[in-house]
Amino acid sequence: MTSPMMNVRRNTWFWMAAAFCASLGLAASLIAVFGTPKGVYLALAATARLAFLMFWPAYAGGALTSLFGNVFSPLRDHARYLGLAFAGALFVHLGLVIDVCAIGQAPGKMTFLIFGVAAGFTYLLTLLSIRRVRQGLPQKLWQPIRFVAMNYIAFAFLYDFIKFPLGDWRSIIRYVPFAALSVAGLALRLAAWVRGPSHAPHLSPRQTGAT
């Protein structure tokens, strides 16, 4: 019999709401300390990185398990929940993008295109992580959609994090660790793919439904 606590932990809205509140608290703290507009820009960068730290283990957990064994299986097994947390945190970040536009510093059209598609993929996966919704999708389409969406989001993060001035040590601190994680995640997924499905760990139906 499943306990009420386990039901909460497996609830889609719990994971999204918890991450949303954490990201909102971070943004509100920065804006309260630094004011506007500086606090808004700092919050925009900080919430992007917080969302990425939730996305990365959801993205790379399966590859880490395939390559290095079951020591990383908790990341793989909780990929759906980490993905839902990422979607919740990203919602705050998107709200800050609207604030930046209202201030009069809207990003360029290409930025809107690249990251708009990534946001669309994020919430498509969130919708499809609901079993009843996903069951309405032809089974053969789920894995290709998930593959394209997850890798596109990863590339969007990499595109953002590799744009930093090398001569600015503060930018290096803000960008290089996240750029390195982005490259590592893509490399891990590629290595796991090259290694082949015969080496991949068995995934239960619940785990293959992860975002």
Side-chain angles (χ1 to χ4, degrees), residues 100-135:
V100 169
C101 293
I103 291 171
Q105 297 293 329
K109 292 181 180 179
M110 185 58 65
T111 298
F112 268 116
L113 176 62
I114 292 172
F115 294 104
V117 172
F121 273 138
T122 297
Y123 293 108
L124 173 63
L125 290 178
T126 301
L127 183 63
L128 291 176
S129 74
I130 301 172
R131 185 182 300 276
R132 290 183 180 179
V133 176
R134 192 170 65 254
Q135 286 175 344

Side-chain angles (χ1 to χ4, degrees), residues 64-89:
L64 285 167
T65 305
S66 176
L67 294 169
F68 303 111
N70 285 333
V71 66
F72 291 103
S73 62
L75 295 181
R76 177 202 64 193
D77 297 344
H78 290 82
R80 177 176 185 266
Y81 310 132
L82 290 164
L84 292 170
F86 162 62

Side-chain angles (χ1 to χ4, degrees), residues 14 21 28 39 47 63-64 76 93 96 107 125 129 135 143 145 149 153-154 159 168 174 184 189 196-197:
F14 170 80
C21 290
T47 54
L64 285 167
R76 177 202 64 193
H93 180 74
L96 290 166
L125 290 178
S129 74
Q135 286 175 344
Q143 290 299 334
I145 289 173
I153 295 166
Y159 175 82
D168 185 346
R174 289 197 303 264
R189 295 272 292 212

